[in-house]
Amino acid sequence: AWHRAAAEAATFLLDRATVDGRLMRTWKAGPGGGRAHVPAFADDHAFLVTALIDLYQGDFDPRWLRAALHLADQLVTLFWDDADGGLYYTGSDAEPLITRSKHMLGGAVPSANGVAALAFCRLSTLTGRTDLADKARAIVDRYRMLLDRAPRALGPEALAAAWLAGPTREIGIVGRAGADDTAALLAELRRRPLPFSVIARVDPDADAETRTLLPWMAGRVHGQEQATAYVCEGSACQLPARTPAALARRLDG
């Protein structure tokens, strides 16, 4: 139920709160179904990218991953500071201001830069987009002094720094949605914490475009007509696992 509600909210934002590919911050009900207005800020994009990654790892629908990549690219295109690195709060297409602020430190709500850095790390590991890892590293570098002296003052910024330091893991399953063998492998993953890891599932009959989204899953097969899990670190993968017990050994090894 929670996942369904999240998917409905994301669909609304992507379909009705987006105008000509540009995410909007507000939506007002009215005649004709309402309208979206006011261009979204950096934190709106960063939090939605994070949510879309979480949604993808919940149901493995590639539309969430495509949308996350689109919004990540918009973060860079509209908000990136080419001179000093990091993200401005307002987009380059917003109403001109005397100066563009850059929110680096969070409080009760994490900073746009920290949330974006961690999202860039996760997307880079999932999709092989090293340019996003480079942007995450540039953001983290702006926090270097604080990371060295008071890392507990930071949240997603510190997690992004740890992600970049590695190691990280890619865990992929080739299996059919809803099949018992796929569900059993996923249940083994869901029952344990998996820090600094990404999870993907690809249908054995997935089209080339979907597989292109996850280059580290290239060549992974549906072994012996069974759902098959792969636990990888960088380009090195352990032996395939086809049972929950075998997958547990790979994860604990």
Side-chain angles (χ1 to χ4, degrees):
W2 289 112
H3 183 90
R4 182 170 62 252
E8 290 174 356
T11 299
F12 176 86
L13 291 172
L14 296 173
D15 291 349
R16 303 187 67 181
T18 300
V19 178
D20 296 330
R22 177 64 157 98
L23 182 66
M24 296 290 139
R25 184 174 178 84
T26 61
W27 186 88
K28 183 177 181 180
R35 69 184 183 93
H37 57 108
V38 182
F41 300 136
D43 54 354
D44 301 314
H45 287 74
F47 279 107
L48 184 51
V49 171
T50 299
L52 290 167
I53 298 169
D54 290 341
L55 273 171
Y56 171 74
Q57 295 194 133
D59 63 14
F60 307 107
D61 187 332
R63 66 173 169 154
W64 306 129
L65 196 52
R66 293 189 185 98
L69 286 168
H70 169 72
L71 285 170
D73 287 337
Q74 289 236 311
L75 265 172
V76 174
T77 300
L78 296 172
F79 299 92
W80 190 257
D81 179 357
D82 290 322
D84 296 321
L87 300 166
Y88 288 115
Y89 189 63
T90 56
S92 57
D93 60 345
E95 181 179 346
L97 302 172
I98 295 175
T99 182
R100 292 174 73 189
S101 63
K102 190 184 294 182
H103 296 185
M104 299 300 295
L105 293 178
V109 177
S111 73
N113 276 275
V115 174
L118 183 55
F120 287 165
C121 287
R122 297 172 70 194
L123 271 180
S124 177
T125 303
L126 264 172
T127 67
R129 285 277 303 273
T130 57
D131 60 309
L132 293 177
D134 291 341
K135 294 301 184 188
R137 191 169 289 105
I139 293 173
V140 167
D141 283 345
R142 293 185 58 84
Y143 293 96
R144 187 59 58 191
M145 183 179 296
L146 193 54
L147 282 167
D148 291 340
R149 296 182 178 181
R152 292 185 181 180
L154 301 172
E157 302 87 354
L159 290 173
W163 193 293
L164 290 167
T168 58
R169 289 193 297 188
E170 306 91 46
I171 305 166
I173 294 175
V174 182
R176 302 188 191 284
D180 289 344
D181 53 356
T182 301
L185 293 175
L186 286 172
E188 180 61 35
L189 294 178
R190 304 292 193 209
R191 75 177 188 85
R192 60 176 66 218
L194 294 168
F196 307 110
S197 301
V198 295
I199 304 171
R201 183 192 64 78
V202 174
D203 192 277
D205 303 319
D207 57 33
E209 182 183 0
T210 298
R211 288 182 176 272
T212 301
L213 284 171
L214 304 159
W216 57 277
M217 288 289 285
R220 310 299 175 209
V221 297
H222 191 231
Q224 301 175 9
E225 291 302 307
Q226 284 183 277
T228 305
Y230 297 86
V231 179
C232 309
E233 186 176 313
S235 59
C237 294
Q238 300 181 48
L239 291 173
R242 298 187 179 91
T243 66
L247 177 56
R249 289 193 295 272
R250 306 290 187 273
L251 294 170
D252 295 335

